[in-house]
Amino acid sequence: MKILVINGPNLNMLGIREPAIYGAQNYDALCKMINAHSAEKGVEVKIFQSNHEGAMVDEIQAAYGKFDGIVINPAAYTHTSVAILDALKAVGLPAVEVHISDVSKREDFRQISYAGMACVKSYIGLGFEGYCKAIDYLIEKYA
Ligand code: DQA
């Protein structure tokens, strides 16, 4: 099974950005955890991060026919991007939404998730662990 993990804007700043919300571990630590978990479970993984909405759309489109599932944390684009929602719908791959923080307990503007409307499952507020749970869910349901 091949899984694409997509991370949106400012997630490359983990460890520096708002540690009280996102924790002290950096983006490299997140990637290492995802790679180790995927290896342990015997799945191939590609991790992609971009600060640009169009680049994320391009990556989702390029996954068509190449990957079996997507784990996506669209970060701030979660709450604004119809383009990412449409891209997920266009490729039709099972997608799982992840948020490190518990967006349900944060500002009003974080209460809508466009990408989530095209996702089969969401893991919210579990820190980095949400990515492992999302990978496990895709394996359980779609491998
Ligand atoms: C986030 C939550 C978003 O609201 C925020 O814009 C992010 C990160 C999270 O992982 O908790 O950048 O997606």
Side-chain angles (χ1 to χ4, degrees), residues 15-71:
I16 296 166
R17 74 181 291 209
E18 303 179 272
I21 296 174
Y22 299 109
Q25 286 191 288
N26 66 18
Y27 188 67
D28 191 48
L30 175 62
C31 293
K32 282 195 173 117
M33 187 207 70
I34 292 168
N35 283 323
H37 188 75
S38 301
E40 192 187 315
K41 298 285 169 149
V43 294
E44 264 185 65
V45 74
K46 176 185 176 183
I47 307 172
F48 174 82
Q49 189 276 330
S50 179
N51 295 322
H52 305 277
E53 184 177 16
M56 293 171 68
V57 169
D58 287 344
E59 192 69 19
I60 293 166
Q61 289 183 5
Y64 181 73
K66 295 205 176 69
F67 288 89
D68 305 299
I70 294 175
V71 172

